[in-house]
Amino acid sequence: MSASVVSLFQGSTAHSPSYGQLTRAGAAAGAGGAVTDFCIPCNPYFPTPPMLDALRGRLHEILTYYPSDAATITAELCQVLGLNPQTVAMGNGSTELITWIDHLLVRESLAVPVPTFGRWTDQPMETGKRVDMFPLRERDGFALDPAAYAEFIHARGSRVAVICNPNNPDGGMLPRRSLLTLIDELRHLDLIVVDESFLDFAEWEGGQDPSLVQEGVLRPNVIVLRSLGKNFGLHGIRFGYLVANPGLAGRVRAALPKWNLNSFAETVVFMLRHHRQEYADSIRQVCRDRQDMRWHLSRLPGLTVYPSQGNFLYVRLPDGIDGAGLRDQLLHQHGVLVRECGNKIGSSSGFLRLVVRPQTDVMRLVSGLEGVLLGGGRGAVVPELVGGTAYSSGTAAVDRLVTPVGP
C-alpha cells in the first residue's frame, strides 16, 4: 500500500495532494511517524502555542455554533487593518475570491506571467476565457520585466492582467515604483489584479510599505488580493480578502454567501488585535530563516537558488536530476517532503519550490539533498516507487505521512 502515497503526486493537477489525502494514504498503509514538510507554505511561528491553546479551549463552541455573518467578521478585520469595510470583501480562502473575480469581472481574456499560482491559469480556462501566458525567463532569474509584460498585453489584446507580487513559485517581486508604473501603463484594461498573498514576508525597501492596498481603494480598475491563511500559517481555515474601490468590492461582496466564513475564521480574526506583536515577530523570524536557508542550499553543488521575497525558495536542480525522482527519494529515504514543479505551467521537473523552515529542519533537508546529489543520485529514481509498484522492502518514510515536524 505504500505506493499509494507516491501515486498521489503523479496526477495532472497543478497542485500538490492535500495533507488529508496524504494522511489517509499513509494511514491506509499502516503508517506511523513524521515527515518534515517543505511543500506547504506555512508560517511555522504563528499562531503561537498560547493562541493554539485558546483555540483548543473554544473548540466545542467553534464547532457547535453558527459564525457571525461575513459583514461582522469583515468589519472586525477592517478595524485591525485600518480599512473601510466598503472597500473589502472577505472570502473562504483567496481561491474563492479568484473564482468570483473570474465569474464577475473577467470577460474574455486574462494575461498572467508563468510560472505562477495555478488558479490564475486554471480558473479562467475552466470558464472558457482565453489565458495569455507571459513566460518568465530562466535567463532573467524569472524576474518580471514590466515593460515587456505591458507590451505583451497590448499585442495580445488582453482585457485583464494579473501580477502576483511576490510571485509563486519563484518569490520574485517588483518594487512598488515599478509596479505603479506598470499599472499606469495598463489603466485602459477592464481589470488589474495584484495578488499580494505572500507580501507580508517581503522585506521593505527604504522603510516603505510595498503593498498597493491604498491604490486598490482609489483606482477604478485595480483589485489587491491578500491571504490570511498563508500569512498566519492557517491554510485549513480558508480565509482571505480583497481590497478595491467600493464599486468593485461591492460587486464581489454581493455575490458571496452571507455565511461564507466559518467560526474558526471568525475566532482568529477577533484574536488578531491582541496578537499583532507576535505576528510581526513571526514574520521577522521567517525572513531570518529564509536568508539562512538560502545560504545553506547555495552551498550544495549544482543547485541554483533564486532570490525570494516569499516564505519559500525556488531551486533549479543540477542537469540530469529528475525532480520527481528526487522528491520520491527524499521522501522514501529521508522523510522530507518537497514540492517538485513539473506540473506547473512555465516550470519543469528540474525545479523545486522549498518552503522556508527553521534551521533544524533545513539541516535535515540539506542532509537528504547531499545524500542524493553527492551519492550518485543523478537522474535516479526509487525503483519501488515507479509505476505504482508496491515496495519490496521495509517500512519507508513515505509510509509515515502522519504529522509534519514543527519548529
Side-chain angles (χ1 to χ4, degrees):
M1 294 292 292
S2 37
S4 64
V5 175
V6 174
S7 68
L8 294 174
F9 291 93
Q10 297 172 345
S12 59
T13 177
H15 302 277
S16 300
S18 73
Y19 186 69
Q21 288 175 299
L22 295 171
T23 303
R24 288 189 293 272
V35 162
T36 306
D37 175 21
F38 285 90
C39 183
I40 308 300
C42 291
N43 179 347
Y45 304 106
F46 195 86
T48 62
M51 292 179 69
L52 291 174
D53 287 342
L55 286 170
R56 290 187 190 98
R58 298 186 60 184
L59 184 60
H60 182 267
E61 170 191 334
I62 290 169
L63 294 178
T64 301
Y65 297 106
Y66 281 107
S68 301
D69 60 26
T72 300
I73 303 171
T74 300
E76 173 63 16
L77 179 69
C78 289
Q79 281 284 327
V80 174
L81 300 177
L83 295 171
N84 183 336
Q86 295 303 308
T87 67
V88 174
M90 286 193 72
N92 185 31
S94 59
T95 301
E96 180 181 53
L97 296 173
I98 291 171
T99 300
W100 282 109
I101 289 170
D102 173 52
H103 281 294
L104 298 172
L105 304 173
V106 180
R107 290 190 295 167
E108 58 187 49
S109 57
L110 176 145
V112 60
V114 293
T116 196
F117 178 50
R119 291 313 301 167
W120 283 120
T121 55
D122 299 352
Q123 173 61 41
M125 287 193 291
E126 289 168 5
T127 53
K129 316 292 172 41
R130 189 186 79 228
V131 178
D132 301 324
M133 302 183 196
F134 178 75
L136 299 173
R137 303 294 185 185
E138 182 180 352
R139 64 172 177 263
D140 300 323
F142 297 96
L144 175 62
D145 181 334
Y149 186 38
E151 182 179 351
F152 170 84
I153 290 169
H154 294 319
R156 292 291 294 165
S158 313
R159 298 307 311 157
V160 173
V162 174
I163 305 111
C164 293
N165 205 48
N167 190 41
N168 172 14
D170 59 279
M173 180 174 158
L174 283 179
R176 178 184 171 84
R177 184 184 299 272
S178 299
L179 191 51
L180 286 173
T181 300
L182 175 59
I183 289 175
D184 286 338
E185 179 67 24
L186 301 177
R187 60 187 177 275
H188 66 287
L189 297 187
D190 296 342
L191 183 68
I192 304 163
V193 182
V194 182
D195 187 341
E196 295 183 351
S197 291
F198 293 99
L199 190 67
D200 279 11
F201 298 103
E203 297 177 348
W204 293 16
E205 292 185 2
Q208 184 181 31
D209 185 352
S211 175
L212 292 194
V213 159
Q214 293 306 320
E215 296 295 326
V217 170
L218 297 174
R219 294 184 182 237
N221 68 335
V222 173
I223 286 177
V224 178
L225 188 66
R226 303 297 301 262
S227 171
L228 296 173
K230 295 181 177 70
N231 296 339
F232 298 157
L234 292 169
H235 295 266
I237 290 182
R238 311 302 305 138
F239 56 171
Y241 64 99
L242 62 78
V243 182
N245 69 70
L248 277 178
R251 284 189 66 183
V252 176
R253 206 166 48 242
L256 294 169
K258 188 177 181 67
W259 286 283
N260 68 318
L261 302 171
N262 60 62
S263 294
F264 269 112
E266 176 177 15
T267 303
V268 172
V269 167
F270 275 81
M271 293 173 73
L272 291 181
R273 65 171 65 239
H274 306 294
H275 297 279
R276 289 183 172 189
Q277 187 60 53
E278 293 95 323
Y279 177 63
D281 291 344
S282 77
I283 294 295
R284 282 191 288 270
Q285 186 58 54
V286 170
C287 290
R288 288 191 289 266
D289 287 348
R290 179 175 61 209
Q291 183 177 8
D292 181 71
M293 181 172 166
R294 187 179 179 209
W295 183 85
H296 283 289
L297 291 173
S298 297
R299 291 170 58 86
L300 292 174
L303 285 188
T304 302
V305 186
Y306 295 94
S308 173
Q309 291 293 328
N311 59 335
F312 46 81
L313 295 170
Y314 196 48
V315 175
R316 191 188 195 285
L317 298 171
D319 292 341
I321 295 290
D322 172 66
L326 174 64
R327 175 201 64 210
D328 296 347
Q329 208 162 349
L330 286 172
L331 189 56
H332 174 67
Q333 297 177 358
H334 301 279
V336 170
L337 177 63
V338 300
R339 174 62 159 99
E340 175 265 326
C341 294
N343 58 2
K344 270 190 171 290
I345 296 173
S347 188
S348 75
S349 190
F351 293 86
L352 303 177
R353 187 197 66 193
L354 300 171
V355 172
V356 172
R357 291 197 63 85
Q359 187 179 59
T360 53
D361 295 343
V362 172
M363 291 299 96
R364 187 176 182 184
L365 170 67
V366 169
S367 176
L369 286 170
E370 285 178 334
V372 175
L373 298 179
L374 302 180
R378 195 166 293 270
V381 297
V382 181
E384 295 90 343
L385 306 185
V386 177
T389 304
Y391 292 114
S392 58
S393 62
T395 301
V398 73
D399 286 326
R400 303 197 307 271
L401 272 163
V402 177
T403 307
V405 174

